[in-house]
């Protein structure tokens, strides 16, 4: 499933439990899945950065990194909180969580422009998920002909084929 190396599995399990408990109480399933995905990727790095540091600090850093990439600090978002509110239940300082999040973001290339780390419910409204280059022109794939959408999807450039979103063909 997640192919977590045996050496790091106990650390992974402890951090996953913290993330799961936190997400169940303060976030949602989408956030939890992205945070656990980030945790799994960190676990598989050689050597895993998780080998040193406290479990709560890693959990806070992961949650902070995924949250900030999804604008959790923006009051207009359905799930929003300040940085202090985000870290308070974990008993970690904002500065510590922010520093760990910066490290994690660099390691995993987490930001609002990398659609791998965008909440699935937000992908439709994220313009970066839809920008493709056609004959040297940057275009929004949602407004291109079906053939171009299919090719972009097959190349992994867009998350799904917009023209077929409401049909069963996809």
């Amino acid at each position: 499933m997640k192919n977590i190396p045996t050496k790091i599995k106990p650390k992974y399990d402890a951090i996953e439990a913290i993330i799961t408990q936190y997400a169940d109480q303060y976030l949602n399933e989408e956030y939890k899945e992205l945070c656990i995905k980030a945790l799994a990727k960190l676990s598989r790095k050689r050597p895993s950065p998780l080998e040193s540091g406290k479990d709560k600090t890693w959990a806070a850093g992961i949650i902070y990194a995924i949250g900030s990439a999804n604008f959790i600090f923006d009051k207009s978002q359905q799930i929003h909180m300040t940085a202090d509110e985000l870290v308070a239940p974990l008993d970690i300082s904002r500065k510590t969580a922010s520093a760990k999040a910066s490290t994690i973001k660099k390691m995993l290339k987490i930001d609002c422009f990398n659609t791998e780390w965008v909440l699935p419910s937000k992908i439709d409204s994220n313009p970066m998920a839809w920008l493709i280059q056609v004959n040297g022109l940057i275009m929004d794939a949602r407004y291109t002909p079906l053939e171009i959408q299919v090719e972009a999807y097959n190349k992994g450039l867009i998350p799904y084929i917009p023209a077929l979103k409401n049909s069963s063909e996809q």
Side-chain angles (χ1 to χ4, degrees):
M1 183 177 142
K2 293 175 188 151
N3 299 325
I4 306 305
T6 307
K7 179 181 179 183
I8 203 74
K9 184 79 166 93
K11 186 86 165 176
Y12 172 92
D13 290 341
I15 298 168
E16 182 184 38
I18 295 166
I19 289 171
T20 297
Q21 181 180 3
Y22 184 96
D24 288 346
Q25 189 166 358
Y26 301 102
L27 301 172
N28 63 20
E29 197 64 28
E30 287 182 311
Y31 268 109
K32 180 166 62 174
E33 288 174 12
L34 283 180
C35 289
I36 291 172
K37 177 181 176 179
L39 172 61
K41 284 192 170 211
L42 291 168
S43 298
R44 290 190 297 268
K45 286 199 166 291
R46 304 277 182 182
S48 174
L50 302 177
E51 290 180 31
S52 64
K54 297 179 181 177
D55 299 347
K56 285 197 313 187
T57 303
W58 279 109
I62 291 167
I63 293 164
Y64 197 109
I66 297 297
S68 63
N70 286 282
F71 306 102
I72 199 165
F73 306 126
D74 180 347
K75 290 181 183 179
S76 71
Q77 298 300 308
Q78 183 179 2
I79 296 176
H80 65 275
M81 57 185 76
T82 67
D84 287 327
E85 290 169 338
L86 186 142
V87 300
L90 297 165
D91 197 30
I92 299 288
S93 78
R94 178 178 39 124
K95 186 176 179 180
T96 300
S98 177
K100 187 61 78 177
S102 291
T103 301
I104 293 166
K105 286 173 158 186
K106 286 177 190 161
M107 282 192 270
L108 301 181
K109 297 177 176 72
I110 297 174
D111 63 36
C112 61
F113 300 112
N114 183 344
T115 58
E116 178 181 8
W117 304 108
V118 173
L119 295 173
S121 63
K122 301 286 186 190
I123 202 76
D124 288 346
S125 61
N126 185 323
M128 297 310 292
W130 304 106
L131 295 181
I132 59 171
Q133 189 172 19
V134 179
N135 296 327
L137 296 173
I138 303 294
M139 304 178 83
D140 186 325
R142 295 172 289 190
Y143 304 107
T144 61
L146 176 60
E147 306 79 52
I148 293 174
Q149 290 181 16
V150 170
E151 186 175 341
Y153 176 76
N154 289 337
K155 289 182 176 181
L157 301 175
I158 58 176
Y160 62 84
I161 301 169
L164 302 179
K165 183 178 182 187
N166 295 324
S167 73
S168 60
E169 296 177 41
Q170 205 171 32

